[in-house]
Amino acid sequence: MKVLLSLGSNIGDSLSILENAITDICNHEQITLLKKSSFYITKPVGFLDQDDFLNSCISIETNLDAKSLLLFCQDIEQKYKRVRLFKNGPRTLDIDIIAIENMTLNEEDLIVPHARMHERAFVLVPLNEIEKDFYVENLGFVHELLAKLPKSSLNDIKCKE
């Protein structure tokens, strides 16, 4: 099944962390990288008194079930010393499962599609670059979700050269 993942970092060498985390994900024997977005510099959301983030999205093909994929992504976050001090706080690495084709889940530790993906330019801009025609269950196509964002939210995201 096709899965969309969002990755972000704002502590340490974020570019190296994201590149290495993507490699780690794709080294799993049951995961194949389909597409990788550019890296984007974005303003923090929620807790604003922190450094800008570097974000990227990837699409993968996997036969892992959603829970196994979540645990695998959390293991990678731990490899890069992810600490959850408070919601929306700074982090070395954040990996979110954004969408899984034709699937909805509403469990305590995993909601698919991601509950706030349709509100976040730092997710939709890189996703639109690689999977604009991906249909997100119960929400619509990625390009439609991006078009619905307030134009002002796009001011806080720029492609890293």
Side-chain angles (χ1 to χ4, degrees):
M1 66 189 155
K2 185 185 276 190
V3 178
L4 305 182
L5 300 177
S6 174
L7 297 92
S9 171
N10 75 337
I11 295 176
D13 182 353
S14 294
L15 179 59
S16 177
I17 290 168
L18 293 182
E19 287 174 333
N20 290 329
I22 291 168
T23 299
D24 291 342
I25 291 167
C26 298
N27 281 341
H28 191 289
E29 62 190 24
Q30 292 177 281
I31 294 176
T32 302
L33 177 68
L34 300 175
K35 296 178 186 172
K36 178 180 85 162
S37 77
S38 301
F39 294 100
Y40 291 86
I41 300 167
T42 64
K43 298 291 180 196
V45 173
F47 177 68
L48 304 180
D49 188 19
Q50 60 181 316
D51 292 338
D52 288 350
F53 278 82
L54 192 62
N55 292 93
S56 183
C57 288
I58 60 174
S59 61
I60 60 172
E61 185 73 31
T62 186
N63 58 3
L64 290 172
D65 62 78
K67 191 68 106 179
S68 296
L69 180 60
L70 174 65
L71 293 173
F72 175 65
C73 290
Q74 289 172 339
D75 285 346
I76 293 174
E77 289 177 338
Q78 290 309 303
K79 177 180 177 181
Y80 294 92
K81 302 184 181 1
R82 164 80 189 260
V83 177
R84 297 172 194 269
L85 295 175
F86 54 91
K87 185 175 179 166
N88 296 323
R91 59 210 88 145
T92 55
L93 179 62
D94 184 34
I95 304 172
D96 286 330
I97 298 173
I98 298 302
I100 300 172
E101 68 180 301
N102 304 319
M103 186 179 291
T104 59
L105 290 171
N106 194 354
E107 299 176 5
E108 184 177 331
D109 58 348
L110 182 59
I111 298 172
V112 175
H114 190 282
R116 293 171 304 284
M117 68 155 298
H118 60 286
E119 302 168 352
R120 297 191 164 162
F122 69 84
V123 171
L124 291 174
V125 169
L127 276 185
N128 191 63
E129 177 188 333
I130 62 170
E131 293 287 353
K132 67 179 184 171
D133 293 324
F134 184 93
Y135 182 78
V136 180
E137 204 65 27
N138 298 325
L139 291 174
F141 292 98
V142 168
H143 66 91
E144 294 171 338
L145 300 173
L146 180 61
K148 292 177 185 176
L149 281 181
K151 299 297 178 220
S152 61
S153 70
L154 300 177
N155 296 335
D156 291 338
I157 184 168
K158 61 183 175 188
C159 192
K160 181 174 178 53
E161 299 297 323

